[in-house]
Amino acid sequence: MIQLSKRSAALCLIPRNIATLLLCLGPMLPALGQQPLKTLLVGIDHRTVTSLNGDWHYLVDQAPGRALYTGSGELNDRSYALNEHPNIVGKHNEEYDFATAPTIKVPGDWNTQVPQLFNYEGVLWYQRDFDAYPKPGTRTFLHIGAANYRSHVWVNQKRVCDHEGGFTQFDCEVTSVLHAGSNFVVIAVDATRLVDGIPSVGYDWFNYGGLTRDVSLVTVPAIFIDDYDVHLAHKAQFEPGNTELTGYVHVLDAPAGTSVTIDIPEAGAKTIAKTDADGNAAFTVKAAKLTLWSPETPKLYKVNLASGDDRLSDDIGFREIRVDGTRILLNGKAIFLQGVNVHAEAPIRGGRVNTDLDVAMLFSYLKDLNANFARLAHYPHDERMERAADRNGIMIWSEIPNWQHISFDKPEVYAKDVTMLREMIRRDRNKASVILWSVSNETPNNPIRTKFLTDLANEARKLDPTRPITSAVLGPKPNGNERVVNDPLCDALDVIGQNEYIGWYELTPEDADKIQWIFPQKPVVMSEFGAEAKFGNHGAINQRWTEEQQVDVFKHQLVMLNQIPQLRGITPWVLMDFRSTTRNIPKLQDGFNRKGLVSEAGEKKLAFVYFKKIYEERSIGKAE
Ligand code: GCU
């Protein structure tokens, strides 16, 4: 159910742009293909849940009569979702049987678990039994951390939800279909690439399919806290000593006037707020004392929320991030973001990141690199990454996968993008480490795309006015040694991300020394640059694919970057070599993009050592 706030409803009287129009069409949007935002339970990892991780039975969707889709693309009502059994006397003899089918681990992509499914980009059926003993006056949701790319969910043969988007979580209410004792869930996950998908059909990473993150059952009171925002109040200017905390707590289906308690004992902050007609309880409270979150002091506070029978605690850091002219200010202090791009691939074992160990390994690389920043490319990662960033004091650029060619001309694609943006922001808005929301990467500079992404950037600001909005742009065409960045999308951004590969895809490494970048007067992050090198391949600096050449490209890049007055951050592409079906030079790539500072086996290249030293000395860029 999409709730229009009073402000949005007012906007509907005079729709001024596609965003407002779609917002007003909200309740009708499902017809346009937008998924109504599932009841997305914020703070799931801080609730007591029943894990459904483990062995699930699976079947490949290759039985026409029982396939997920009928010939006309509708959902088949005689599909494997019914979880029928063979050899039942008196019944049609079904020719499948989940109970004795092979099993696969959840969470986990199917590609790295089942050799025959390595390149499979179709539909896989998952099934498992589970016990439940629902209590009266409670509600139960099936929580799915991510399923790439589209999924349809049935419990006890009843369809409970569908979802599109391979990197954001969703929750399906199952209260009315559960019964005491044994139940079963069937999930069809479709990894087919879609022209109207987000991302679309061509992208430079591996299309890992399946239930790639945790799956669990969550039981909450009939009236419960499903969403909240607790942050340091943003004043016109940063005020040292400001200890005002503000935000809202949303209590789903609560009558107006329901009490909500917000209690942060260590900060000496406690208040009671009342819900309005939409279930939102807005609050402001002064903390007695507050240590602000920063990379140097990644302080987190236990935030206890309570309403009726529902109790929920979260670990939240308080800080302020803002743009001031061409500077980025964290808690009023100008900062320089020395970081790296990170894809969600597990070191050594490969496949999608989805365990504490995967995340611990990636953060060990980031800390060893002396990074204070990471661009989580090109999609929202497992929530463990932002939690680790909160604890480790690493600032995060979080992005939805509008990667290059998206069907920007289609309203239903915009509607899907809005849903994905809302899912990303809703899950992570309370993570102090997340300082930037990004709405795209390297999209073609044309009026339709610029309008689409400008509206999306404004939608992000409405959803979260506390964080700057960014995107990574590509181009411009060189004008001799000048690069004048005049992409109109930059007008909609607070921080400009720029990708370029001088010395690898164009020109020579030495040419970079002479390149002058002219940017609008905003903070700039050079969000991608680099070169490929196979770990252990050594040679002269002018020999491509050697580690020495990769370092040489970076050396000349940094000469160029240091000449950009408003450069406020860099993220070389990419922390670790990663799988991509577009990278097929035998013996050099073998299905991997090799721009990593680290190999997929965790071997640190010379380029890793190079940046480790640069970042330790803080010898790149200026905070102001
Ligand atoms: C692009 C893109 C990345 C890609 C990289 C590359 O800029 O944003 O996703 O992997 O370049 O070509 O290696």
Side-chain angles (χ1 to χ4, degrees):
M1 173 184 68
I2 292 186
Q3 291 153 338
L4 291 184
S5 69
K6 291 193 181 66
R7 184 173 174 281
S8 310
L11 277 176
C12 292
L13 300 175
I14 35 163
R16 279 171 296 189
N17 56 38
I18 186 171
T20 313
L21 181 63
L22 289 165
L23 201 65
C24 302
L25 290 174
M28 293 162 256
L29 274 183
L32 277 178
Q34 184 202 24
Q35 309 280 336
L37 186 66
K38 303 283 167 290
T39 307
L40 192 149
L41 284 75
V42 176
I44 277 275
D45 58 350
H46 279 58
R47 281 189 179 277
T48 305
V49 302
T50 303
S51 174
L52 295 184
N53 290 346
D55 292 330
W56 287 51
H57 295 287
Y58 75 90
L59 289 168
V60 181
D61 184 63
Q62 286 172 333
R66 296 290 176 266
L68 173 61
Y69 303 118
T70 62
S72 59
E74 304 299 314
L75 287 183
N76 175 5
D77 59 12
R78 292 292 308 147
S79 71
Y80 285 165
L82 299 179
N83 185 24
E84 306 266 27
H85 301 282
N87 309 323
I88 306 287
V89 175
K91 286 197 73 173
H92 171 81
N93 185 43
E94 291 298 337
E95 298 185 47
Y96 71 98
D97 183 31
F98 275 121
T100 55
T103 61
I104 191 170
K105 291 285 181 214
V106 170
D109 53 272
W110 61 64
N111 316 79
T112 57
Q113 292 193 68
V114 182
Q116 300 88 329
L117 299 179
F118 181 71
N119 283 109
Y120 182 59
E121 297 195 6
V123 177
L124 197 76
W125 289 92
Y126 290 80
Q127 185 278 340
R128 67 159 286 169
D129 297 336
F130 64 94
D131 289 342
Y133 299 92
K135 295 190 181 67
T138 65
R139 296 171 70 172
T140 302
F141 293 83
L142 182 69
H143 170 76
I144 297 166
N148 185 46
Y149 171 74
R150 280 187 297 176
S151 41
H152 307 277
V153 184
W154 292 263
V155 169
N156 300 332
Q157 298 187 334
K158 301 283 189 312
R159 188 161 148 224
V160 288
C161 77
D162 310 299
H163 185 264
E164 180 170 346
F167 305 100
T168 47
Q169 66 182 31
F170 57 103
D171 299 285
C172 316
E173 180 147 20
V174 297
T175 312
S176 62
V177 298
L178 284 183
H179 42 241
S182 179
N183 298 262
F184 64 85
V185 53
V186 177
I187 304 178
V189 180
D190 183 357
T192 306
R193 301 176 193 229
L194 302 176
V195 169
D196 294 351
I198 303 164
S200 182
V201 291
Y203 41 84
D204 187 20
W205 66 82
F206 197 84
N207 183 20
Y208 291 108
L211 294 172
T212 53
R213 297 180 192 161
D214 294 334
V215 178
S216 58
L217 273 184
V218 194
T219 297
V220 290
I223 293 180
F224 69 98
I225 296 164
D226 70 320
D227 185 16
Y228 50 89
D229 170 15
V230 187
H231 64 267
L232 183 69
H234 274 214
K235 309 289 187 183
Q237 295 296 330
F238 175 72
E239 290 176 9
N242 169 30
T243 61
E244 188 179 317
L245 303 175
T246 189
Y248 65 80
V249 177
H250 185 263
V251 187
L252 193 62
D253 298 339
T258 300
S259 289
V260 179
T261 303
I262 299 97
D263 182 14
I264 313 169
E266 195 187 349
K270 184 169 184 176
T271 187
I272 293 176
K274 300 278 188 189
T275 57
D276 63 16
D278 294 332
N280 278 311
F283 71 91
T284 293
V285 62
K286 270 217 185 300
K289 55 188 185 312
L290 209 53
T291 302
L292 296 188
W293 185 93
S294 71
E296 296 74 26
T297 56
K299 173 69 182 165
L300 300 177
Y301 286 88
K302 189 64 76 185
V303 177
N304 302 318
L305 306 174
S307 183
D309 297 333
D310 198 19
R311 301 279 175 280
L312 174 67
S313 289
D314 200 341
D315 297 309
I316 299 180
F318 301 107
R319 55 103 187 96
E320 196 220 65
I321 189 81
R322 76 170 71 210
V323 163
D324 174 42
T326 64
R327 304 183 303 161
I328 300 174
L329 304 181
L330 175 68
N331 303 327
K333 184 167 162 276
I335 55 172
F336 187 85
L337 305 170
Q338 43 188 45
V340 69
N341 281 282
V342 183
H343 255 305
E345 275 210 358
I348 307 194
R349 74 172 177 84
R352 279 282 171 246
V353 167
N354 51 41
T355 69
D356 295 340
L357 176 60
D358 297 339
V359 172
M361 291 176 80
L362 289 173
F363 272 81
S364 71
Y365 300 157
L366 291 172
K367 299 298 274 185
D368 188 19
L369 190 65
N370 298 312
N372 66 3
F373 180 60
R375 176 183 179 215
L376 299 188
H378 284 289
Y379 38 73
H381 287 212
D382 189 293
E383 190 171 11
R384 291 175 175 86
M385 289 294 284
E386 283 83 359
R387 290 294 187 192
D390 272 3
R391 293 192 304 271
N392 286 282
I394 301 268
M395 294 173 282
I396 296 291
W397 160 320
S398 189
E399 183 166 295
I400 50 176
N402 280 320
W403 193 91
Q404 294 190 4
H405 299 282
I406 298 288
S407 300
F408 289 120
D409 56 333
K410 299 198 173 138
E412 64 272 24
V413 172
Y414 183 80
K416 285 194 280 191
D417 247 316
V418 170
T419 297
M420 204 173 279
L421 182 74
R422 292 173 68 192
E423 290 170 336
M424 172 176 74
I425 292 176
R426 186 165 160 134
R427 187 193 78 177
D428 291 334
R429 68 181 319 133
N430 294 298
K431 312 275 195 321
S433 55
V434 177
I435 61 165
L436 291 166
W437 299 122
S438 167
V439 293
S440 67
N441 177 73
E442 293 191 357
T443 54
N445 179 354
N446 63 55
I448 289 178
R449 155 277 206 172
T450 302
K451 174 108 183 57
F452 183 109
L453 291 179
T454 298
D455 287 344
L456 201 60
N458 291 332
E459 186 63 32
R461 284 190 186 90
K462 267 196 292 206
L463 290 166
D464 179 7
T466 72
R467 288 177 172 89
I469 306 304
T470 190
S471 262
V473 298
L474 199 56
K477 286 199 182 358
N479 170 24
N481 281 331
E482 262 197 0
R483 307 255 164 146
V484 182
V485 177
N486 54 15
D487 183 328
L489 178 58
C490 296
D491 298 340
L493 305 179
D494 300 306
V495 172
I496 296 169
Q498 173 71 46
N499 293 355
E500 47 82 17
Y501 283 90
I502 293 162
W504 180 256
Y505 286 134
E506 56 165 324
L507 303 176
T508 68
E510 302 73 24
D511 289 332
D513 300 6
K514 304 186 290 287
I515 303 281
Q516 294 292 322
W517 288 87
I518 318 292
F519 283 98
Q521 283 308 302
K522 294 185 175 182
V524 170
V525 172
M526 196 55 86
S527 39
E528 287 188 33
F529 57 98
E532 303 215 24
K534 183 154 166 64
F535 175 78
N537 185 23
H538 293 288
I541 60 170
N542 62 356
Q543 196 181 336
R544 281 166 74 88
W545 299 96
T546 62
E547 291 188 46
E548 289 75 10
Q549 163 268 159
Q550 188 184 30
V551 171
D552 189 52
V553 167
F554 284 130
K555 278 183 176 160
H556 288 288
Q557 278 276 343
L558 267 54
V559 168
M560 173 182 77
L561 296 177
N562 261 324
Q563 294 167 42
I564 302 172
Q566 67 269 59
L567 184 78
R568 300 295 176 238
I570 63 168
T571 46
W573 188 260
V574 64
L575 176 64
M576 190 175 82
D577 292 354
F578 61 94
R579 273 198 190 284
S580 169
T581 45
T582 65
R583 306 294 174 171
N584 299 308
I585 304 176
K587 298 189 177 48
L588 287 173
Q589 294 176 315
D590 297 318
F592 281 86
N593 180 314
R594 295 260 181 235
K595 297 186 182 72
L597 308 183
V598 182
S599 76
E600 71 278 15
E603 302 146 318
K604 291 170 183 168
K605 303 175 191 176
L606 295 176
F608 183 96
V609 177
Y610 174 73
F611 276 104
K612 177 183 168 81
K613 187 166 182 297
I614 293 276
Y615 288 171
E616 188 176 24
E617 294 165 350
R618 295 176 180 268
S619 57
I620 168 70
K622 297 182 187 65
E624 51 192 334

